[in-house]
Amino acid sequence: MSRRPHPAAVVAVIAVGTMAVAGFWALAPLRDLASVREAAPVAAVADVEPAAATTDPTTDAAPAPHPRNDAVYDISTLPLVDVRSVNPAIPVDDDPTGPVTSSQARPLGAGAPVFADPAGQPVGYLPREHHYGGTTVPVVVAEADWVKVLLPGRQGVPPEGNGGQTVGWLRAADVELAITTEFVEVHLTANTIDIVSAAGRERVSDQFAWGKESTPTPAGRTFVMWTTIVPEFRYTDGHPMVYLGVQSPVMAGFDGGDVAVTAFHYYRMREGATSFGCIYLDGPATDRLAQLPEGTPVLIRP
């Protein structure tokens, strides 16, 4: 956790919690949107091993897809969705322990309108380019004409508002998709951090610190938002900050900053529930996580 704001960077950092999703690589990846429009959406990533999954036609039926929306919107009239945005119209994730797909979305053109509900009007826009990242986002629900994604920014500011992971809908025509081949899985109680891919599990760390009871790590699904080196943060010893898309559930900001962003970062003391929420790691673990591209899912479990 930074002790003072960086003048040109996201300043507050809160650490990562954890959730598990097994069998990520065993399910079909989300295909190009052109092919998705010609067939039913592919399966989302399950939080159980594929062999253990069951099918109940009375409960597993997919909801009807939302109708296509071809309206033209001027995104310059819409509020920006980024790490510093506070937008009460954008929902907090209603299924934080739910699945993600193996796809990432990124806006085309200058940006894409963001919808709280595909049946409504846009409530903001996600830019294609942004200094603080957060523009390549994981898809959690895929339809022929819409994708539901995790977003940066907050619905409200703690302690009065809900600062949890936000979600929104983007029109398929407004984005391009890329396949992600790996995700990060963190278990606080087991004290493990793994990068999971088709090749298996790569243990990144089995010794780290996490948030105190008064400043807990946010649990649920999130993503790598932005990775950067901040020389002014001397406690990082020159290692990168790996900022995530979720912010503190209890803090409005940190050390004078206006955000309370979750991050992995290096710190010399890294054992137990001792941080303001940040995951404190050693140098090799921090550097390995810093290699992951923006938009990589981070699945978190307390």
Side-chain angles (χ1 to χ4, degrees):
M1 190 64 58
S2 62
R3 291 172 290 183
R4 62 184 179 85
H6 179 240
V10 177
V11 294
V13 286
I14 309 288
V16 178
T18 60
M19 171 191 115
V21 172
F24 177 90
W25 58 89
L27 298 174
L30 186 65
R31 292 160 290 181
D32 177 80
L33 282 174
S35 63
V36 171
R37 292 193 183 97
E38 300 302 322
V42 299
V45 175
D47 61 355
V48 295
E49 294 291 345
T54 59
T55 300
D56 181 350
T58 65
T59 60
D60 291 350
H66 295 92
R68 188 182 181 108
N69 177 349
D70 292 320
V72 177
Y73 299 101
D74 180 0
I75 63 171
S76 69
T77 66
L78 300 172
L80 173 69
V81 176
D82 73 347
V83 64
R84 286 196 166 98
S85 63
V86 178
N87 189 331
I90 293 181
V92 172
D93 191 1
D94 59 346
D95 191 14
T97 62
V100 298
T101 71
S102 53
S103 186
Q104 302 166 330
R106 186 183 180 197
L108 295 167
V114 174
F115 298 76
D117 183 333
Q121 294 299 303
V123 295
Y125 83 95
L126 185 68
R128 179 173 174 82
E129 304 285 349
H130 194 272
H131 176 73
Y132 299 122
T135 63
T136 298
V137 290
V139 173
V140 297
V141 175
E143 298 180 0
D145 296 306
W146 296 89
V147 289
K148 186 178 183 181
V149 299
L150 305 182
L151 293 169
R154 294 183 284 188
Q155 181 193 75
V157 177
E160 293 82 9
N162 190 332
Q165 176 66 60
T166 53
V167 295
W169 291 87
L170 306 175
R171 296 183 299 184
D174 294 330
V175 300
E176 62 181 1
L177 292 183
I179 299 300
T180 180
T181 60
E182 54 194 2
F183 68 96
V184 180
E185 182 179 54
V186 185
H187 284 269
L188 292 185
T189 53
N191 209 223
T192 59
I193 300 176
D194 295 331
I195 296 174
V196 186
S197 70
R201 291 180 175 272
E202 175 189 347
R203 179 57 46 83
V204 175
S205 178
D206 56 11
Q207 185 61 61
F208 56 87
W210 61 93
K212 298 176 287 188
E213 183 177 355
S214 60
T215 54
T217 57
R221 54 190 181 183
T222 186
F223 62 100
V224 174
M225 180 181 70
W226 185 48
T227 299
T228 188
I229 294 174
V230 186
E232 289 81 0
F233 294 170
R234 294 187 179 181
Y235 58 82
T236 63
D237 199 29
H239 296 282
M241 303 289 298
V242 183
Y243 293 102
L244 303 182
V246 66
Q247 302 195 34
S248 171
V250 297
M251 299 173 67
F254 182 76
D255 200 20
D258 59 355
V259 291
V261 181
T262 302
F264 295 110
H265 71 81
Y266 172 87
Y267 194 66
R268 65 184 185 279
M269 298 176 64
R270 44 184 182 269
E271 184 174 357
T274 58
S275 79
F276 287 99
C278 287
I279 289 289
Y280 295 163
L281 298 162
D282 64 18
T286 304
D287 294 344
R288 177 66 183 96
L289 292 170
Q291 295 173 2
L292 299 172
E294 293 182 9
T296 298
V298 177
L299 306 171
I300 62 179
R301 187 185 296 279

